[in-house]
């Protein structure tokens, strides 16, 4: 295993090259970037070739236009992920990333590529999406929401230059999530593993449990203490559960 930052096409980043028999594609939260999954890649490289997705419009892709909807983003990403399906492919997404991963999984299965598993974190079931108008708020109002959820280190949001760079991506992603409407269709056939925080203001216990209807391949719900970014405090346990699934 070597530490490099590789890309294929424009969306896939590989921080650690791995010869593991399964690939894990990771989809960031609203305003997030591929770098969020650097430690995931490092810690899982023995059991998975981790592919961190970089959405257009952020970090080194900041000059590229944003993709305005979850479904359009899924279309773009599945076109790139096909070339990585020479090994079994699993999907992991947090918050907005869970919706994107779900829509990608649907498209892959329609093409006859069944994911090994879908890991959905920090998101209510796709049919429960709602528009709270966050993407229509002023810059200050949008930043207040980000601070409320703890999605970006507080110190970063005090730097005007960083805020200026981050805000367009955050606003675009909130618009994509809030305008998303689930299109009914066949449930997935791959295993579905859900992670949620018991104090997440965005996801109720019922909202997390509602994912069960979205796959016939088996369902597992894991609840942790904490809010929307419970992952940060429980990374070892979450990654352990993912590892055991992929290494099984």
């Amino acid at each position: 295993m070597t530490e490099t930052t590789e890309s294929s096409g424009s969306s896939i980043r590989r921080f650690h090259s791995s010869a593991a028999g399964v690939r894990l594609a990771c989809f960031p939260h609203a305003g997030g970037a591929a770098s969020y999954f650097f430690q995931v890649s490092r810690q899982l490289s023995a059991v998975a070739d981790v592919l961190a997705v970089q959405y257009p419009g952020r970090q080194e892709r900041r000059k590229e236009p944003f993709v305005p909807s979850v479904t359009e983003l899924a279309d773009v990403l599945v076109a790139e992920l096909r070339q990585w399906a020479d090994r079994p492919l699993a999907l992991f997404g947090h918050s907005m990333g869970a919706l994107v991963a779900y829509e990608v999984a649907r498209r892959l299965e329609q093409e006859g590529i069944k994911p090994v598993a879908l890991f959905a974190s920090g998101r209510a079931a796709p049919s429960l999406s709602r528009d709270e108008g966050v993407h229509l708020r002023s810059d200050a109002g949008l930043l207040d929401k980000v601070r409320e959820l703890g999605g970006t280190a507080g110190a970063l949001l005090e730097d005007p230059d960083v805020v200026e760079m981050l805000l367009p991506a955050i606003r675009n992603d909130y618009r994509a999530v809030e305008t998303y409407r689930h299109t009914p269709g066949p449930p997935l056939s791959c295993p579905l593993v859900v992670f949620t925080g018991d104090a997440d203001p965005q996801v109720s216990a019922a909202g997390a449990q509602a994912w069960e209807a979205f796959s016939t391949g088996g369902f597992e719900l894991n609840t942790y203490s904490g809010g929307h970014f419970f992952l940060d405090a429980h990374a070892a346990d979450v990654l352990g559960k993912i590892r055991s699934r992929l290494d099984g």
Side-chain angles (χ1 to χ4, degrees), residues 39-58:
Q39 290 300 330
V40 173
S41 175
R42 171 176 283 173
Q43 294 183 46
L44 293 183
S45 60
V47 297
D49 186 26
V50 177
L51 312 177
V53 173
Q54 188 76 298
Y55 304 145
R58 57 218 73 201

Side-chain angles (χ1 to χ4, degrees), residues 23-97:
R23 289 193 162 113
L24 176 67
C26 299
F27 302 81
H29 54 279
S35 55
Y36 184 74
F37 296 109
F38 181 85
Q39 290 300 330
V40 173
S41 175
R42 171 176 283 173
Q43 294 183 46
L44 293 183
S45 60
V47 297
D49 186 26
V50 177
L51 312 177
V53 173
Q54 188 76 298
Y55 304 145
R58 57 218 73 201
Q59 292 188 340
E60 80 283 359
R61 303 187 71 189
R62 62 186 177 277
K63 294 183 179 179
E64 298 178 40
F66 297 115
V67 179
S69 75
V70 169
T71 52
E72 289 175 89
L73 185 56
D75 288 339
V76 170
L77 296 177
V78 79
E80 295 192 39
L81 284 169
R82 288 189 194 105
Q83 67 179 298
W84 297 94
D86 57 318
R87 302 184 206 173
L89 185 64
L91 310 175
F92 170 60
H94 181 70
S95 195
M96 170 185 168

Side-chain angles (χ1 to χ4, degrees), residues 74-136:
D75 288 339
V76 170
L77 296 177
V78 79
E80 295 192 39
L81 284 169
R82 288 189 194 105
Q83 67 179 298
W84 297 94
D86 57 318
R87 302 184 206 173
L89 185 64
L91 310 175
F92 170 60
H94 181 70
S95 195
M96 170 185 168
L99 281 183
V100 178
Y102 165 73
E103 288 290 344
V104 167
R106 297 178 90 183
R107 286 155 175 73
L108 289 173
E109 289 204 349
Q110 288 167 5
E111 297 181 11
I113 303 171
K114 179 181 175 180
V116 173
L118 170 60
F119 301 99
S121 170
R123 191 77 206 170
S127 57
L128 301 178
S129 293
R130 59 186 182 180
D131 186 354
E132 297 179 322
V134 175
H135 69 285
L136 299 175

